[in-house]
Amino acid sequence: MRVALALIPLSVGLMACEPQPTGTPRMSAAEAEVHCTQQAERYANKPLLIADENGVVQVGLQAELPDSFMVTDFYKRCFFANAKRRPTSIPKLPAFG
């Protein structure tokens, strides 16, 4: 019984500890939006290197491009890495997948 009572404050303390973004933001939200939009556009036009079942990587017209979810996810990760917060809105990003 005493052990259970001793573990309750410990468990509550661990639940209160949430991972916080470390460090200071490298850019403001406006700067991160411009930077990450440009990076996401480059990412959307860059072919993915995916090997098929025979181990062959397709290039040229046979290569696969990222889909819209992948481009949006790339933008969100870029924004969070640079501004240390989540974007409030996501601009219209190109996706050719």
Side-chain angles (χ1 to χ4, degrees):
M1 181 71 175
R2 291 182 187 176
V3 174
L5 290 176
L7 291 178
I8 291 174
L10 177 66
S11 63
V12 171
L14 289 176
M15 288 188 300
C17 296
E18 293 183 13
Q20 299 294 323
T22 57
T24 58
R26 290 184 239 168
M27 302 178 183
S28 68
E31 292 171 334
E33 183 176 349
V34 171
H35 172 73
C36 294
T37 300
Q38 293 171 351
Q39 293 294 327
E41 288 174 357
R42 282 193 203 120
Y43 177 73
N45 294 318
K46 185 178 176 185
L48 300 173
L49 299 177
I50 300 174
D52 63 6
E53 63 274 358
N54 297 324
V56 177
V57 175
Q58 298 293 332
V59 294
L61 296 175
Q62 299 295 320
E64 293 184 27
L65 295 173
D67 61 8
S68 62
F69 175 77
M70 294 168 76
V71 175
T72 303
D73 186 53
F74 180 88
Y75 175 82
K76 288 178 183 178
R77 288 184 287 121
C78 175
F79 192 94
F80 188 80
N82 290 304
K84 299 297 184 205
R85 65 186 191 117
R86 299 189 195 294
T88 55
S89 64
I90 298 173
K92 179 94 171 132
L93 298 169
F96 304 106

